[in-house]
Amino acid sequence: MDFGLVLQTDPPASQVVGLMRRAERNGFRYGWTFDSAVLWQEPFVIYSQILANTTNLQIGPMVTNPGTRTWEVTASTFATLNDMYGNRTVCGIGRGDSAMRVAGRKPNTLARLGEAIDVIRDLAEGREATVDGQPLRIPWVKDGRLPVWMAAYGPKALALAGQKADGFILQLADPFLTEWMIKAVRQAATDAGRDPDALTICVAAPAYVGDDSPEALAHARDQCRWFGGMVGNHVADLVAKYGEHSSMVPEELTAYIKDRQGYDYGHHGRADNPDTAFVPDEIVDRFCLLGPAEAHVEKLRHLKSLGVDQFAVYDMHDNREGTIDAYGSDIIPSFR
């Protein structure tokens, strides 16, 4: 199993670069950031510094979207980084939640997302693609490679990931839901005539390493409760689309948002987010990894048995360096 680190690009950017260097020293192989231009600093500028200051770390957004940049610009940006640093980028992509909604736009349609996946990959790898009816090719791309991994939750999005993407990003670490969604993605890949085992499966969730005393666990839950609120935005979209008790989406995913009142993106991904009081402890425990290192290893082994290839640590809480170091000393070695 590979490991990734997920950060927000809060200033100063030098701190983001430093944490990514720390992650690589501790055995992490991937570095990810949020991509929401209004809420945080521009990630692709910072990627250049991360790549320059690390040796093998693979870098990318978790996730970008096909609406905030034109597709040829996205492809050219990835291709430029790859040309400079040797094909060390991954394009995580989704419909767009915070990036689109903060700017007053709706998330992209799945049809637009599916088209963008093909176009961005083709252009970044030097092939011709059609953008808005215009055939385009980036002539300077030589031996480019850009895996495109898609984030998804709902049935139609999971199917699209299986049909189009090189990898699937699931932003929660609940074993039941992970198994259900991996099966859906791989079945869609099979139905599309693709090799289902060729897709990389990445689970991303907050991790907080500490002892298992009631006080320590309560603190860890409070530091990670924001994640249930973030996931709740996507779940609310699913409930609006499929209904509250639809057979298309498991209640294990949807039931917890019944008391959700609203969401202020000014606190998006923050441990002090006041809009996440509706998230119960049970959801924090199911969606995240908390407690002593042995508990993390046990849950990660379960996820690995379900087909997970990478666990990406959302490191947005009050113990970022400690979590990176604990994973490097006590958890990652168990999977080498």
Side-chain angles (χ1 to χ4, degrees):
M1 179 182 277
D2 285 328
F3 288 84
L5 181 72
V6 190
L7 299 173
Q8 295 164 336
T9 51
D10 290 313
S14 58
Q15 189 173 61
V16 178
V17 175
L19 288 169
M20 289 297 186
R21 291 181 64 191
R22 189 181 197 122
E24 184 175 58
R25 290 197 303 269
N26 276 282
F28 289 78
R29 293 192 59 229
Y30 287 78
W32 304 94
T33 76
F34 283 30
D35 177 16
S36 191
V38 174
L39 297 177
W40 301 287
Q41 292 185 327
E42 170 54 38
F44 286 92
V45 175
I46 299 171
Y47 293 162
S48 190
Q49 285 297 302
I50 295 171
L51 289 162
N53 284 277
T54 57
T55 303
N56 297 306
L57 204 66
Q58 304 286 308
I59 298 297
M62 189 176 280
V63 293
T64 193
N65 73 85
T68 52
R69 296 176 179 84
T70 59
W71 303 348
E72 68 274 17
V73 169
T74 299
S76 181
T77 303
F78 276 112
T80 301
L81 292 171
N82 282 338
D83 186 65
M84 293 172 68
Y85 299 105
N87 287 338
R88 288 171 54 200
T89 68
V90 181
C91 177
I93 196 167
R95 293 176 61 227
D97 176 37
S98 63
M100 297 296 285
R101 285 175 164 137
V102 165
R105 307 182 186 106
K106 293 181 179 179
N108 297 271
T109 64
L110 288 176
R112 179 175 172 83
L113 175 56
E115 185 181 358
I117 288 172
D118 289 336
V119 167
I120 292 168
R121 185 199 291 117
D122 283 344
L123 290 176
E125 294 186 345
R127 295 184 294 276
E128 182 178 288
T130 301
V131 182
D132 296 329
Q134 177 69 34
L136 295 177
R137 188 178 71 83
I138 302 175
W140 48 264
V141 174
K142 307 296 181 189
D143 301 317
R145 181 178 181 273
L146 183 66
V148 180
W149 297 5
M150 180 182 153
Y153 290 105
K156 292 183 179 180
L158 295 169
L160 181 63
Q163 294 158 5
K164 296 275 190 179
D166 302 299
F168 164 48
I169 297 171
L170 172 58
Q171 292 163 311
L172 54 79
D174 174 72
F176 173 84
L177 293 171
T178 298
E179 182 175 19
W180 182 81
M181 292 186 188
I182 289 175
K183 284 181 177 179
V185 169
R186 286 186 167 155
Q187 185 60 54
T190 299
D191 293 344
R194 307 178 72 202
D195 178 1
D197 295 324
L199 272 78
T200 302
I201 307 296
C202 174
V203 160
Y208 198 105
V209 182
D211 64 55
D212 56 1
S213 68
E215 296 79 14
L217 287 173
H219 179 75
R221 290 182 183 116
D222 285 343
Q223 287 293 305
C224 298
R225 199 176 306 277
W226 63 266
F227 184 67
M230 186 187 82
V231 174
N233 297 327
H234 303 284
V235 175
D237 287 344
L238 294 178
V239 170
K241 183 178 183 65
Y242 295 104
E244 188 173 351
H245 302 291
S246 170
S247 60
M248 299 285 287
V249 185
E251 285 199 20
E252 287 84 352
L253 178 62
T254 60
Y256 83 97
I257 68 160
K258 63 180 183 302
D259 294 324
R260 179 180 182 269
Q261 299 298 316
Y263 194 84
D264 178 0
Y265 281 92
H267 304 283
H268 191 57
R270 307 288 187 189
D272 60 354
N273 190 331
D275 296 324
T276 59
F278 72 93
V279 181
D281 287 352
E282 176 201 0
I283 288 294
V284 182
D285 291 347
R286 282 174 44 203
F287 285 10
C288 306
L289 278 77
L290 312 174
E294 313 88 76
H296 292 242
V297 170
E298 181 181 3
K299 189 168 186 177
L300 288 168
R301 282 180 174 152
H302 189 178
L303 293 171
K304 185 175 185 290
S305 74
L306 300 175
V308 175
D309 300 299
Q310 179 185 154
F311 177 61
V313 176
Y314 274 105
D315 205 22
M316 279 72 82
H317 49 58
D318 64 1
N319 191 29
R320 294 188 298 178
E321 292 87 352
T323 297
I324 294 169
D325 293 347
Y327 262 70
S329 61
D330 301 327
I331 297 168
I332 292 176
S334 298
F335 296 88
R336 286 290 179 261

